[in-house]
Amino acid sequence: MNWHELGQTDLVKTANTSIEHGLSSKEAKKRLDLHGYNELNEGKKTSSLALFFSQFNDFMVFVLVAATIISGFLGEYVDAAAIIAIILVNGILGFFQERRAENSLQALKELSTPQTLVLREKKWMKIQARELVPGDIIKFSSGDRIGADIRLFDAKSLEIEESALTGESVPVQKQYDPIQANAESLGDLVNMGFMGTLVTRGSGSGVVIGTGMNTAMGKIAHMLEEAGTQQTPLQGRLEQLGKILIVIALLLTVLVVSVGVLQGQNLFQMFLAGVSLAVAAIPEGLPAIVTVALSLGVQRMIKQKSIVRKLPAVETLGCASIICSDKTGTMTQNKMTVTHVWTCGSLWEVTGTGYEPEGEFTANGRPVQVKQNKALQQILLFGALCNSSAIVSEKGKYRLEGDPTEGALLTAASKAGFYSEKIKEQYKIIEEYPFDSARKMMTVIVEDLQNKRFVITKGAPDVLLKKSTCILANNKNEAMSKTRYEEANTSIADLASRALRTIAIAYKPLTGSEIPSVEQAESGLTFFGIQGMMDPPRPEVKQAIKECREAGIKTVMITGDHVITAKAIAKKLNLLPNKGKVIEGQALNKLSVEELAETVEDTYVFARVTPEHKLKIVKAFQEKGHIVAMTGDGVNDAPAIKQADIGISMGITGTDVAKESSSLILVDDNFATIKSAIKEGRNIYENIRKFVRYLLASNVGEILVMLFAMLLALPLPLVPIQILWVNLVTDGLPAMALGMDQPESDVMNRKPRHTKEGIFARGLGWKVVSRGFLIGAVTLAAFMIIYYRNPDNLQYAQTIAFATLVLAQLIHVFDCRSERSIFHRNPFGNLYLIGAVLSSLLLMLVVIYYKPLQPVFHTMDIAAVDWLLVIGLSAIPTFLLAGSLLTRKN
Ligand code: ADP
Ligand code: MG
């Protein structure tokens, strides 16, 4: 089909749609059933069966199975069957853990898929791009990714970067008239847009003509590389650690077995015990638990309105020492209302809130008639004409579609009776140069009913003032004199110091029919005046900034707004200390990254910046060794977002490009959400430390009790099946529960963690070794006391050792919840943990007292008095170490 050759009427007919109404939802549903979802087929997931078998694909498990089978042939049926059963249960648990981790990662991926503005049932709405169908009418603007293959029917300064398809990185200028071209040569199809390509400039609308695999992208989909799931640095380090631990565990096992054999133990018994010990001591479950802890944390973050796009960010979040945040919309509400209008010689005030067209104009407290003030009329009218947003009223409610800054201008105009649908009947927009934060201006070229053409520009007042050669005063065009310039400049500062965001409006008549370029249009202007709009801070931000400060994190405001406005808001938020510096974008131009780095520590506000400045700011902070979180929403923010250690994009106002370069998306665009994310990031890391501490100390304890026994020429204190049981039940469940622990009350009172900090830093290594040693020691003590009391009843002594080991670990798990000591936290704070510990206890009692299981687990009923011994001994490590911590001053 040669879509590019069709005129608009044919296009609409062929696609069977309507440019005014879009598709009906019924029709869209029908086409969705017919064409399927608009997505590219992905590579296959690992099948469940393969994942299940991969659980057993481990050398030590093979050895254990082999050893068990041999022991089965030697007549130890019960032992063999029990060991096999435990291996199976272990495998099933591992399988579910990994599936869960995989599924939650997949869910995350889906959360951050792009959305598209589509016309359905005569209404513009946002839907997931995967729901697009052929015939849908979509619109887009700079920063969006095109959701499907389309034929354009409207384009304003539209440029699309199609390198993903054509390899050509220079954006293509698009138009919408029919053309003659070779349909195979995508680069020549300038009136079409393709799925996955990027709008770098302007805006446009089109009819969807191909979706899913039936797009240019679909045809080359098999060539696209799937980005692999990323490992976090910690996961990488733990994997390394795991390898080292395997070697250590194996060496120790060999040691235990050799010593045992030398002491005259039965060779095969010793071998089986050794292999069980190795299986138990090797923390093979660690990576899976880490993934689960990470993804559970990530799910908690989603509830708190932040979506993690790149898993490593979870860890880096905990290290953040600087947050560079946008002001508009992130620290403020982005609900703008024009409250002041200035034209040469007069200042008007406007009442009313929201987007309702209700409000009055006053001057010096007295109501004024807009009709009698030509200048006021003009500036309001032009503010609504040079505007790409719309206010729609639905059932008496007014809703903004577009940019809040522009919405405020539309509302102010409507309060004077200028409604944009009505004025657009009298003025035709011939060309539009969209707003961008580097120029800080937007321009339209307009034709009135008398066919007279003129330019309207709106933008940052200080910028516009410099582009103006005339000024409107007393309803006349005056050449811009020095006094007039100063007058305007003073008013800009005056409005800004009231924390108002300011927009100026300027005008220029055109002669001739030629359409000027942006640069031509935006020069030699006549300055009309300024509208000042209020954008109140979000109420929760002040507190969030304070909490960040207490957590050793500095908040820096970055804004394209006027320096005085920025300062006024920063003061309101308590962000700018008395000696804090404010730097303007212009000054940044002159500084190199190194020079900026020298002053950056005392700087709290960057005003009138362009997106390129943001990159410099990130680099300067990084130069000083900071871990920087940087927010952004526009296309041009992408480099800074990428450069930052934690790139953050806005869920509501963010462009697809910004989202794709970011590692974190703020669903609600709210600064306070960054704080919650950092808190969660710190907590996740601490939780990982908690269960690493627990698991490793347990393993050390298990190995040492065996080693000590062999060295002392004692019989085996634990039989293989008991060791495997401990590994499965006592180690597994509570470790998972630790991964879901709540943060300690002081997580946000500590300094940020150093990125290079190893997992065993801050005394964790010592805690693991000392506690492991003590657990081993008390278990052995319990065993020896009972064994020497009655050497004929080895099985009873082993039961006591088993119970002591389990109990000592289950007490230890509560210690692990705090970096300080067990007494710092309410032990009932983590209900998962209580549940895990109770189930472990219950299962322990079952294998000890349930008669049919006693032969399987080599256990016997424990007498009540001996429980006193078990409980007393297993509590010793906690009290010993807690005591030594209490005496140490912190
Ligand atoms: P920020 O979002 O940080 O406030 P922007 O780059 O969006 O910064 O805006 C910078 C300045 O550009 C504003 O202070 C305002 O004067 C002007 N401006 C903002 N939005 C528009 C727009 N849609 N059209 C024209 N000028 C605008
Ligand atoms: Mg903005």
Side-chain angles (χ1 to χ4, degrees):
M1 180 77 230
N2 284 341
W3 292 98
H4 56 278
E5 291 172 1
L6 303 180
Q8 184 160 324
T9 338
D10 288 335
L11 171 64
V12 170
K13 214 194 276 161
T14 320
N16 192 8
T17 183
S18 147
I19 286 182
E20 291 78 35
H21 298 240
L23 297 176
S24 66
S25 1
K26 218 165 112 207
E27 181 63 25
K29 171 93 185 43
K30 219 166 91 196
R31 294 191 192 186
L32 189 63
D33 290 340
L34 183 65
H35 297 274
Y37 280 112
N38 174 33
E39 51 196 6
L40 304 176
N41 295 342
E42 280 187 51
K44 261 192 280 167
K45 270 206 318 199
T46 15
S47 77
S48 297
L49 207 61
L51 185 66
F52 180 69
F53 281 112
S54 75
Q55 301 301 318
F56 306 100
N57 191 4
D58 176 343
F59 176 68
M60 285 320 291
V61 174
F62 279 139
V63 177
L64 185 60
V65 171
T68 313
I69 291 174
I70 296 172
S71 79
F73 279 122
L74 293 177
E76 310 266 353
Y77 307 116
V78 182
D79 273 15
I83 291 178
I84 296 288
I86 283 206
I87 294 173
L88 271 178
V89 174
N90 220 342
I92 292 169
L93 282 184
F95 168 79
F96 281 114
Q97 243 167 36
E98 272 189 42
R99 238 310 98 91
R100 180 166 186 187
E102 212 174 69
N103 288 344
S104 45
L105 290 179
Q106 183 61 29
L108 279 185
K109 230 166 101 191
E110 279 163 16
L111 264 178
S112 46
T113 54
Q115 297 195 313
T116 292
L117 261 179
V118 67
L119 185 67
R120 294 254 177 101
E121 307 263 358
K122 235 178 148 180
K123 271 196 223 101
W124 285 105
M125 52 178 97
K126 249 194 180 156
I127 62 167
Q128 297 283 340
R130 68 193 286 263
E131 288 167 15
L132 285 176
V133 295
D136 263 331
I137 308 291
I138 62 171
K139 70 176 174 187
F140 39 81
S141 56
S142 88
D144 292 342
R145 255 189 212 288
I146 308 270
D149 279 7
I150 53 166
R151 166 61 207 276
L152 296 164
F153 60 83
D154 187 23
K156 293 199 173 78
S157 314
L158 182 63
E159 286 181 14
I160 301 184
E161 196 250 307
E162 298 178 337
S163 62
L165 282 174
T166 61
E168 173 59 58
S169 62
V170 179
V172 184
Q173 290 196 6
K174 295 285 180 176
Q175 50 130 63
Y176 52 90
D177 295 324
I179 51 164
Q180 293 293 324
N182 177 358
E184 295 296 308
S185 145
L186 298 181
D188 297 337
L189 300 179
V190 290
N191 57 7
M192 295 185 54
F194 304 101
M195 180 191 212
T197 57
L198 196 67
V199 184
T200 50
R201 192 156 180 236
S203 57
S205 317
V207 180
V208 173
I209 54 153
T211 57
M213 291 308 279
N214 201 9
T215 57
M217 195 61 96
K219 297 200 178 88
I220 58 161
H222 57 278
M223 301 191 317
L224 295 177
E225 270 177 273
E226 256 300 295
T229 27
Q230 289 155 308
Q231 240 192 358
T232 76
L234 181 65
Q235 280 178 311
R237 245 183 272 150
L238 283 176
E239 207 175 273
Q240 282 290 318
L241 176 73
K243 286 187 186 136
I244 299 171
L245 288 177
I246 290 181
V247 175
I248 297 180
L250 283 179
L251 284 178
L252 284 173
T253 308
V254 170
L255 189 67
V256 171
V257 174
S258 335
V259 175
V261 172
L262 283 180
Q263 303 277 20
Q265 302 271 357
N266 170 306
L267 181 68
F268 185 72
Q269 275 299 315
M270 232 18 252
F271 179 66
L272 198 57
V275 177
S276 310
L277 192 56
V279 169
I282 292 169
E284 74 286 334
L286 207 55
I289 303 187
V290 173
T291 313
V292 171
L294 282 169
S295 58
L296 285 177
V298 163
Q299 276 158 16
R300 282 195 301 269
M301 289 167 78
I302 293 174
K303 289 207 189 95
Q304 297 159 18
K305 302 234 170 347
S306 46
I307 298 176
V308 173
R309 285 195 66 251
K310 299 176 185 154
L311 212 47
V314 178
E315 270 167 47
T316 328
L317 269 172
C319 307
S321 56
I322 298 278
I323 307 174
C324 293
S325 168
D326 284 332
K327 170 184 76 67
T328 314
T330 312
M331 293 187 171
T332 65
Q333 299 181 5
N334 226 358
K335 287 195 187 125
M336 313 226 189
T337 317
V338 171
T339 57
H340 291 75
V341 181
W342 178 88
T343 59
C344 215
S346 335
L347 183 65
W348 287 281
E349 288 185 28
V350 194
T351 61
T353 51
Y355 298 117
E356 281 76 29
E358 281 143 33
E360 293 199 329
F361 292 82
T362 59
N364 302 320
R366 258 179 260 128
V368 291
Q369 285 297 319
V370 181
K371 288 198 186 73
Q372 280 145 25
N373 288 284
K374 193 94 195 298
L376 180 58
Q377 242 178 31
Q378 292 281 16
I379 188 174
L380 291 172
L381 173 66
F382 283 5
L385 268 179
C386 179
N387 203 306
S388 49
S389 304
I391 287 177
V392 267
S393 78
E394 265 166 18
K395 302 183 195 118
K397 284 223 164 77
Y398 293 82
R399 184 168 54 83
L400 168 72
E401 268 173 16
D403 176 3
T405 306
E406 299 195 327
L409 299 178
L410 289 174
T411 309
S414 68
K415 288 173 184 170
F418 298 120
Y419 293 95
S420 57
E421 318 87 70
K422 291 236 180 73
I423 49 183
K424 292 216 163 131
E425 285 164 12
Q426 295 167 37
Y427 300 90
K428 207 167 109 205
I429 310 287
I430 295 179
E431 181 62 276
E432 179 179 322
Y433 298 116
F435 173 77
D436 85 58
S437 354
R439 264 168 46 245
K440 299 199 169 21
M441 290 183 283
M442 164 181 172
T443 293
V444 289
I445 294 169
V446 179
E447 189 177 88
D448 66 12
L449 292 176
Q450 285 80 44
N451 292 343
K452 267 196 268 167
R453 290 185 172 185
F454 51 94
V455 172
I456 308 173
T457 301
K458 74 175 198 301
D462 38 334
V463 178
L464 234 57
L465 195 56
K466 290 201 185 87
K467 304 256 174 201
S468 301
T469 46
C470 295
I471 187 164
L472 189 74
N474 307 321
N475 291 329
K476 278 200 297 280
N477 271 8
E478 253 180 37
M480 180 77 76
S481 65
K482 196 142 190 239
T483 0
R484 288 294 189 205
Y485 189 93
E486 284 312 319
E487 213 178 317
N489 228 351
T490 317
S491 308
I492 298 172
D494 171 49
L495 291 175
S497 62
R498 305 173 198 227
L500 297 178
R501 181 175 174 84
T502 50
I503 297 270
I505 313 277
Y507 155 97
K508 177 166 81 174
L510 287 178
T511 48
S513 59
E514 207 170 299
I515 294 176
S517 67
V518 205
E519 292 78 20
Q520 286 168 342
E522 292 172 350
S523 65
L525 297 164
T526 302
F527 198 85
F528 265 34
I530 308 162
Q531 304 200 32
M533 51 191 79
M534 183 180 74
D535 179 18
R538 291 176 183 264
E540 60 279 34
V541 169
K542 191 169 171 181
Q543 174 66 16
I545 291 176
K546 179 165 167 266
E547 281 175 42
C548 284
R549 194 178 305 123
E550 284 160 3
I553 306 161
K554 173 177 157 185
T555 307
V556 176
M557 174 191 281
I558 300 200
T559 178
D561 237 342
H562 196 276
V563 60
I564 301 178
T565 312
K567 239 189 201 165
I569 303 235
K571 281 277 178 213
K572 278 195 189 177
L573 291 172
N574 241 343
L575 176 146
L576 182 65
N578 285 335
K579 285 199 183 124
K581 274 196 210 146
V582 178
I583 297 190
E584 266 188 278
Q586 286 208 319
L588 284 181
N589 290 335
K590 295 180 203 111
L591 297 177
S592 68
V593 169
E594 290 74 25
E595 287 165 335
L596 179 58
E598 289 317 307
T599 56
V600 91
E601 295 279 16
D602 317 318
T603 309
Y604 290 78
V605 176
F606 292 89
R608 277 285 186 256
V609 294
T610 64
E612 294 89 273
H613 293 141
K614 283 188 166 182
L615 185 62
K616 223 178 200 178
I617 297 170
V618 174
K619 284 185 175 164
F621 276 114
Q622 285 174 336
E623 181 94 349
K624 282 285 164 190
H626 283 292
I627 302 300
V628 187
M630 166 69 89
T631 69
D633 48 14
V635 202
N636 310 338
D637 290 336
I641 294 180
K642 272 197 196 129
Q643 172 72 29
D645 301 277
I646 305 150
I648 304 175
S649 65
M650 301 297 147
I652 304 170
T653 57
T655 54
D656 293 344
V657 195
K659 285 183 193 163
E660 283 163 22
S661 7
S662 68
S663 37
L664 190 76
I665 302 178
L666 303 182
V667 177
D668 57 356
D669 290 14
N670 190 341
F671 177 85
T673 305
I674 306 179
K675 181 217 70 189
S676 317
I678 289 182
K679 183 168 177 186
E680 198 55 67
R682 287 186 176 195
N683 184 35
I684 293 172
Y685 188 84
E686 291 307 319
N687 283 353
I688 292 177
R689 272 171 63 97
K690 287 175 196 172
F691 63 70
V692 166
R693 172 178 169 192
Y694 174 69
L695 277 181
L696 294 188
S698 299
N699 290 351
V700 170
E702 287 154 26
I703 292 189
L704 287 185
V705 66
M706 300 293 270
L707 182 63
F708 293 156
M710 294 306 101
L711 288 172
L712 295 173
L714 291 166
L716 283 179
L718 295 165
V719 295
I721 183 79
Q722 291 170 345
I723 297 175
L724 292 173
W725 188 92
V726 169
N727 181 45
L728 178 70
V729 180
T730 322
D731 293 359
L733 284 176
M736 294 283 279
L738 278 177
M740 295 190 258
D741 209 10
Q742 301 86 349
E744 274 193 86
S745 56
D746 65 343
V747 265
M748 287 303 266
N749 294 327
R750 306 175 193 159
K751 292 250 146 339
R753 186 179 86 241
H754 202 282
T755 31
K756 298 245 166 55
E757 180 186 296
I759 183 87
F760 293 119
R762 288 180 274 141
L764 201 77
W766 166 244
K767 282 190 181 126
V768 166
V769 173
S770 56
R771 177 52 71 102
F773 179 86
L774 284 177
I775 291 178
V778 294
T779 307
L780 190 71
F783 176 72
M784 282 167 73
I785 292 171
I786 301 296
Y787 180 67
Y788 285 127
R789 199 172 72 192
N790 184 3
D792 295 332
N793 198 349
L794 176 60
Q795 190 159 337
Y796 190 62
Q798 285 170 332
T799 308
I800 294 283
F802 171 66
T804 311
L805 179 68
V806 170
L807 219 54
Q809 294 189 356
L810 291 183
I811 294 175
H812 180 216
V813 77
F814 290 98
D815 265 315
C816 292
R817 292 186 63 218
S818 169
E819 295 274 325
R820 289 174 293 174
S821 87
I822 198 167
F823 304 110
H824 273 98
R825 297 200 74 176
N826 169 8
F828 301 104
N830 180 348
L831 290 180
Y832 297 108
L833 190 61
I834 299 293
V837 168
L838 285 182
S839 350
S840 289
L841 276 179
L842 191 70
L843 285 170
M844 177 189 76
L845 292 177
V846 169
V847 296
I848 290 178
Y849 285 103
Y850 186 49
K851 292 278 180 290
L853 285 180
Q854 284 184 341
V856 180
F857 286 92
H858 297 253
T859 48
M860 302 176 73
D861 290 0
I862 294 180
V865 278
D866 291 336
W867 273 115
L868 290 180
L869 177 78
V870 170
I871 294 171
L873 279 172
S874 52
I876 285 179
T878 289
F879 284 97
L880 264 186
L881 290 181
S884 79
L885 275 176
L886 286 182
T887 48
R888 207 168 66 193
K889 292 238 154 51
N890 244 330

